[in-house]
Amino acid sequence: MELTIDGVRTRLGGRWVVDGIDATPPTGALTGLLGPNGSGKTTLLRLIAGLLTPEGGAVLVGRADPDPAAAPVPVHTLGRRARARRIALLEQESASTVPLSVREVVALGRIPYRTLWGADPDDGAVDRALDNARATHLADRAWSDLSGGERQRVHIARALAQEPDLLLLDEPTNHLDVSAQLSVLAFVRGLPTTTVAALHDLNLAATFCDHVLVLSDGHLAAAGDPREVLRPDLIRAVYGVDCDVLTHPRTGRPVIAFAAQEPARDTSHSRETTLEDAR
Amino acid sequence: MDRSGWRPPLAVLVMVGLVLLVVTVLVTVTIGPAEIAVPDVARSIAGHLGLGDAGVPRLVDAIVWDLRLPRVLTAAAVGAGLALAGAVMQSLTRNALADPYLLGLSSGASLGAVAVLILGVGLLLPVAAFAGALVALVATLALARTHGVLTPGRAVLAGLAVSQLCAAGTSFVIFWTATGDSYREIISWLMGSLAGTTWSSVAISGVALLLVGAVLLASAVRLDAFAFGDTSAAALGIDVERTRWTLMTLVALLTGAMVAVSGAIGFIGLVLPHAVSVVTGPAHRRLLPVAALAGAVFLIWADTAARTVFDPRELPVGIITALVGVPVFAVLLRRGRGAAWS
């Protein structure tokens, strides 16, 4: 699904957390949303998901009908159910105290399709989602007994059960061991949906993303192919860390090697300046 | 279809529940100081429903129709209503300990009820109880919320504070105004009692149960969506704030109606949903109707024990439900499912 972020801005608690972002994540590809803590990644994801209404600008999504002439519509004007059938959001550290089985967790993704009495018009959807997420073998396990990587896989199956055109993931690799991180992102990259994932790990973004958006203090600091965007000067300006960018000998993807350094004591003023330099 | 392999179909559970409920009603009406047989109960009820000639002695008929049946049916409605209220509160607050009693709604409703009782306007009793429950709910949530986040541990502590305050208020109002046995009166409002229930109690609790219960059942799918929290529910297309406040207000209404006829009976809303979900699983479409039936059967038997075990003296039924409920509460606390209890 086509997605256009058109000058969105919104405040939380008086602060402009997302302050005028324009971007066009490529359709059907994996876009990484990067930036330090507090740079506005989660809020931007919520704006894209239509859970927050922007104070300015709009997030535009392509219409569901395939008419190429149809104009995109602002996501916050879609009805709740219609939106939930097209956009799935997996939030960070999604946990539950309800004793659910894996199949029941995945079935939650069918809620936007259910009738008032809970019937699902598509009986096979849960099985297909489990299968697509390669989680069928987990179907009858208790959700609470799963490992972190398995839980994330089940959450992705739940999102796929919504049959979304647009998949939004907030830190999908958080607290996962390295093998689970790699397999989750490799899987997500293989999906045909347009996907936007907030990521902390720059090397994972460099390895898997087709496109990255780098946020800094609610602004878009850079956007584009990670091989072009993730340069030492930009990383220094946005994250305040020193690094070199190498090339992986086998994959050719960028590898960011961080250098130990004195704790950064940049004031916000000098940080703005270096960001300007980086541009 | 689940991790234990098989869960009984909903239709089977509901049928079993209904049969148990009918049998419970017929049997418990026979229990009491005056010996009455089940056929007499059936004939008395049939007679009053216009299904043929009663043919039962007038005294027996009066005991069945005027004394015991209204009490048993009120117990059924109150038990069902409190179990539903507890199940819905637990899901909306994502807190396994949330029930109308622990969150202070029941004692708020008691305070509202006794406050209008002293004014002598009986008709307003359920309305005042509803208002009391709503005020207590808002007070508890306001105390428990920190930076807009409701943490389970704080919710229970805040509920405890609100509950104690309302209980003290209730005791004071009764102590100040009652002419006769004020302590018995205080106990029956604070611990709950079904003594003195009439057909109008059946009407108040039954109508509230049917109306609110129908809306809650129709909201079952939306309640499921809260399993992974507010954002997750919103991403599934649920209007989180509207759903939460509508359903919480309905729970306050239900609690108010139940407390107006029976006082603040504890632990049904806490224990029944947990016990029932072992069989039904957590999906609300299955959990809610079965919890309501189980609550009805449970409270009828608890009340039957309350009125007969120490005959001729009568225990407040809340003592029985606490005797059963507190051990279960303790088990839940000991099992402590991680972050939800911090």
Side-chain angles (χ1 to χ4, degrees):
Chain A
M1 180 171 75
E2 279 162 41
L3 170 65
T4 307
I5 301 165
D6 182 16
V8 288
R9 59 208 312 255
T10 202
R11 275 177 293 198
L12 285 185
R15 195 171 75 87
W16 288 98
V17 183
V18 170
D19 194 1
I21 290 182
D22 291 289
T24 311
T27 302
L30 172 59
T31 297
L33 191 55
L34 310 179
N37 288 332
S39 59
K41 299 190 296 294
T42 297
T43 306
L44 183 59
L45 281 179
R46 292 171 62 95
L47 284 163
I48 298 173
L51 302 185
L52 288 176
T53 303
E55 291 178 54
V59 173
L60 302 167
V61 292
R63 284 188 191 272
D65 54 68
D67 178 4
V73 289
V75 70
H76 61 271
T77 63
L78 293 172
R80 287 170 201 282
R81 270 165 74 91
R83 197 185 61 216
R85 293 176 182 193
R86 302 193 59 201
I87 304 174
L89 167 72
L90 288 189
E91 56 176 336
Q92 211 180 129
E93 290 176 41
S94 199
S96 180
T97 54
V98 182
L100 293 159
S101 72
V102 165
R103 182 180 296 277
E104 286 163 338
V105 172
V106 176
L108 293 177
R110 299 300 298 166
I111 286 176
Y113 296 90
R114 284 181 190 280
T115 63
L116 184 63
W117 297 106
D120 186 342
D122 182 355
D123 285 340
V126 170
D127 284 324
R128 279 202 311 280
L130 281 164
D131 190 40
N132 288 340
R134 288 179 230 124
T136 304
H137 62 290
L138 302 172
D140 295 328
R141 301 261 305 272
W143 188 83
S144 56
D145 294 346
L146 301 183
S147 71
E150 289 169 333
R151 285 184 183 195
Q152 202 56 264
R153 191 164 282 271
V154 171
H155 278 316
I156 289 170
R158 169 165 66 96
L160 295 182
Q162 283 176 253
E163 299 179 342
D165 307 315
L166 175 60
L167 177 61
L168 306 171
L169 307 168
D170 196 356
E171 309 280 1
T173 56
N174 229 4
H175 303 305
L176 300 189
D177 63 40
V178 66
S179 119
Q181 291 181 2
L182 296 176
S183 73
V184 162
L185 284 181
F187 172 75
V188 166
R189 186 178 57 175
L191 291 173
T193 53
T194 304
T195 306
V196 180
L199 294 170
H200 261 310
D201 188 320
L202 297 179
N203 281 310
L204 287 176
T207 307
F208 289 103
C209 292
D210 304 297
H211 190 85
V212 292
L213 306 176
V214 185
L215 301 190
S216 175
D217 285 329
H219 298 277
L220 188 64
D225 188 302
R227 283 165 288 204
E228 288 152 21
V229 168
L230 298 177
R231 306 308 309 169
D233 50 353
L234 177 97
I235 293 168
R236 188 178 302 115
V238 171
Y239 287 91
V241 296
D242 190 19
C243 68
D244 293 288
V245 178
L246 317 172
T247 301
H248 194 282
R250 279 185 289 137
T251 65
R253 305 290 298 191
V255 177
I256 293 126
F258 297 103
Q261 55 166 9
E262 294 299 306
R265 289 199 180 275
D266 288 346
T267 65
S268 62
H269 175 73
S270 67
R271 209 167 130 182
E272 296 268 325
T273 319
T274 52
L275 183 58
E276 287 306 315
D277 296 344
R279 281 173 180 157
Chain B
M1 84 171 263
D2 68 289
R3 66 180 190 270
S4 54
W6 184 80
R7 279 175 185 153
L10 179 61
V12 171
L13 289 172
V14 169
M15 281 310 297
V16 170
L18 282 174
V19 169
L20 265 179
L21 180 59
V22 170
V23 170
T24 295
V25 168
L26 291 178
V27 170
T28 52
V29 168
T30 67
I31 300 173
E35 291 289 332
I36 295 172
V38 172
D40 284 340
V41 175
R43 260 182 284 154
S44 168
I45 294 173
H48 282 276
L49 295 178
L51 305 169
D53 182 28
V56 260
R58 278 191 60 185
L59 180 63
V60 170
D61 186 55
I63 290 173
V64 169
W65 188 257
D66 297 333
L67 291 178
R68 291 189 191 163
L69 193 60
R71 180 166 184 162
V72 164
L73 292 181
T74 304
V78 170
L82 292 177
L84 276 179
V88 171
M89 286 306 270
Q90 282 155 22
S91 300
L92 287 177
T93 61
R94 303 181 74 208
N95 183 343
L97 296 182
D99 94 330
Y101 190 76
L102 284 179
L103 294 186
L105 273 74
S106 298
S107 17
S110 287
L111 179 56
V114 299
V116 297
L117 269 186
I118 61 167
L119 300 173
V121 271
L123 204 62
L124 284 177
L125 196 70
V127 180
F130 165 55
L134 201 58
V135 169
L137 171 67
V138 170
T140 297
L141 294 181
L143 268 178
R145 258 177 202 251
T146 42
H147 310 296
V149 179
L150 191 67
T151 55
R154 287 178 64 94
V156 173
L157 287 178
L160 184 69
V162 169
S163 174
Q164 291 298 313
L165 182 68
C166 293
T170 304
S171 306
F172 179 77
V173 169
I174 296 171
F175 176 76
W176 196 250
T177 57
T179 46
D181 188 352
S182 63
Y183 293 103
R184 174 171 290 276
E185 186 86 340
I186 289 171
I187 290 288
S188 72
W189 279 106
L190 295 185
M191 298 279 326
S193 167
L194 288 153
T197 47
T198 60
W199 280 103
S200 68
S201 320
V202 178
I204 292 169
S205 54
V207 168
L209 174 67
L210 291 180
L211 292 182
V212 177
V215 181
L216 295 180
L217 283 181
S219 309
V221 171
R222 278 185 283 166
L223 283 168
D224 288 344
F226 280 84
F228 285 92
D230 290 3
T231 304
S232 163
L236 291 170
I238 306 297
D239 187 340
V240 169
E241 287 301 311
R242 203 185 71 188
T243 301
R244 170 174 291 134
W245 287 109
T246 307
L247 294 186
M248 280 190 170
T249 305
L250 286 172
V251 166
L253 185 62
L254 191 57
T255 307
M258 300 314 164
V259 170
V261 300
S262 68
I265 299 175
F267 297 99
I268 291 186
L270 175 71
V271 170
L272 265 296
H274 289 295
V276 164
S277 74
V278 173
V279 183
T280 62
H284 290 85
R285 195 171 50 87
R286 294 163 55 82
L287 172 64
L288 294 182
V290 180
L293 286 167
V297 171
F298 175 74
L299 189 57
I300 294 175
W301 282 110
D303 183 54
T304 304
R307 66 184 166 87
T308 55
V309 169
F310 293 100
D311 184 53
R313 291 174 46 171
E314 186 170 306
L315 276 178
V317 67
I319 292 178
I320 309 272
T321 59
L323 281 176
V324 178
V326 170
V328 179
F329 183 94
V331 169
L332 287 172
L333 270 179
R334 296 287 301 179
R335 281 198 355 215
R337 292 190 222 133
W341 303 78
S342 60

